[in-house]
Amino acid sequence: MSPDATPDPFMEPVAFGQRMQILRTRRGMSRDVLAGLLGMSPSWVKQVEGGRLHMPKLPMVLRIAEALRVRDLSDLTGDQSMHISLFTGPGHARLPQVRKAINAFPLTTQREAPSSAHLRERLVRAWHARHSAPNHRDVVGALLPDLIRDAQLAVLQADSASERRQAQGLLSEVYSLSQFFIAYQPDSSLLWRVVERGMVAAQESEDPHSIGISAWLATQAHRDSGQAHFDAADAVNLETIRYLEPHLPDASNDVLAITGALQFEAGYTAARRGDTGTAWRYWDTARAVADRLPVDYYHPVTSFSQAVMGAHAVTIAVESHAGPESVRQAAAADTTTIPSRPRRARHRIEEARGYQLDGQTEAALAALDKAYEAAPETIRYNGYAKRIVLEEAESKSPAQRRRASELAVKIGVLAA
């Protein structure tokens, strides 16, 4: 290797501090930002990276891994006995068949595509299953291969421009459903193929609702790629909001809802940046949109509704690292009316993060237990939840250590 080349922390036997610096640099994160996320000083980060301080204890290592979105703990520690996936969940058993359907390139076929009405009904049922099943990835993974193939055929066999636009809208939505399945699984290139194909199909459909959904998911994919991609997340997000604004005076509930969901996503990214004031301003704007929707309305893809705004407030507070505010928002949020099991589970995980920020570790574990009850597959794929469980498994309290260890076994981060 050239002496000027950057060492690869996954290949070279480099020290913890060097790995931390390499991973931070790859994320496009400054020392000051990382220090702020960890609640430490920039000089402390510099000393760790320079090897003047030894590798910290496990709770801090886990916080560093969370801040840097490290997918496997061994990538940070260099300890090959610590193969614990954090922000990548296990590869689902149905992933190979979904991947095969996505990677197929149909040009000719002897089979007739189903009607748009038939595809729409199947999509409605698939979204319902995604929100109602505790093991939602298993259910959705079983439906996706045929849905992908049939939606591709519908585009291929469309007889008119209007039929083709309608088919492209359905195909875009199928790719959106696919992104929910693939997210946090160990195949990032497949995820980005789905993101890009969904956006192209949505643009071809010329349907504001489809365009909004694809942009909402692309925003999340960019943001989850790390701080270096926050500008890309905002670019997609804010451009789509500007595109949707002229449609809003006479918009359907679905178009209103996707606009509100995008407003919240802009606030979410701002909170990740540490721009708390901007984050809450976007939350207020999203809240105003939610208030225009019927009380019992619930968007089938994004979960945007009046009911979800309390959960969104918890997210903003947690991402702003405001422990007491997170707890206050969690107490104020009425999430019992959220019909989606995975969305309820995600809210419980955000609650747990808030409680831990506030030093209420018992309440954090109780919230994670509720997340597991709502949707086991959500917590198994969530890096924040896994970090809290692993950290509390090292607690000085025997009862807390036992409770965390039992949950760690259930979600698959510790062996039974």
Side-chain angles (χ1 to χ4, degrees), residues 1-6:
M1 187 172 84
S2 164
D4 297 325
T6 301

Side-chain angles (χ1 to χ4, degrees), residues 31-259:
R31 282 197 183 109
D32 287 355
V33 169
L34 179 58
L37 292 173
L38 300 175
M40 304 298 286
S41 68
S43 64
W44 181 87
V45 173
K46 185 176 182 178
Q47 288 180 74
V48 173
E49 292 182 345
R52 290 186 292 280
L53 290 177
H54 294 301
M55 185 174 81
K57 293 183 179 179
L58 181 61
M60 180 56 74
V61 170
L62 289 167
R63 290 173 185 273
I64 294 168
E66 177 184 312
L68 296 176
R69 304 288 292 188
V70 173
R71 295 186 179 277
D72 192 304
L73 203 56
S74 65
D75 295 340
L76 177 61
T77 65
D79 184 349
Q80 295 306 304
S81 68
M82 297 182 73
H83 276 300
I84 298 174
S85 296
L86 289 175
F87 288 91
T88 300
H92 196 280
R94 298 191 186 276
L95 179 60
Q97 291 304 311
V98 174
R99 182 192 293 117
K100 182 179 178 181
I102 290 168
N103 287 342
F105 188 56
L107 292 174
T108 59
T109 179
Q110 302 298 317
R111 185 165 61 88
E112 185 176 351
S115 68
S116 293
H118 179 70
L119 275 173
R120 167 53 58 196
E121 179 58 31
R122 284 165 62 188
L123 262 173
V124 168
R125 284 189 274 117
W127 284 117
H128 176 75
R130 194 260 162 187
H131 289 297
S132 61
N135 294 313
H136 47 90
R137 272 189 170 83
D138 194 52
V139 174
V140 170
L143 297 173
L144 275 173
D146 286 340
L147 264 174
I148 292 165
R149 284 188 283 266
D150 287 347
Q152 289 173 336
L153 284 180
V155 172
L156 204 62
Q157 296 178 13
D159 291 327
S160 66
S162 61
E163 285 182 7
R164 185 175 179 83
R165 285 194 297 272
Q166 187 177 32
Q168 290 281 20
L170 290 166
L171 178 59
S172 176
E173 194 169 327
V174 170
Y175 282 136
S176 296
L177 183 63
S178 302
Q179 187 172 335
F180 277 97
F181 174 80
I182 297 165
Y184 309 115
Q185 293 203 55
D187 195 337
S188 59
S189 63
L190 184 67
L191 175 71
W192 279 106
R193 278 200 295 284
V194 166
V195 171
E196 290 165 359
R197 290 182 188 182
M199 293 190 75
V200 170
Q203 289 172 332
E204 291 289 331
S205 77
E206 300 180 7
D207 174 54
H209 185 232
S210 296
I211 290 169
I213 291 172
S214 66
W216 181 78
L217 285 163
T219 295
Q220 295 183 13
H222 281 297
R223 187 177 58 236
D224 285 346
S225 297
Q227 189 180 26
H229 301 268
F230 286 1
D231 286 348
D234 277 341
V236 173
N237 197 345
L238 300 180
E239 179 64 25
T240 308
I241 290 173
R242 284 191 289 270
Y243 161 78
L244 290 171
E245 280 175 349
H247 298 272
L248 297 184
D250 302 311
S252 66
N253 287 335
D254 285 348
V255 172
L256 273 176
I258 194 59
T259 305

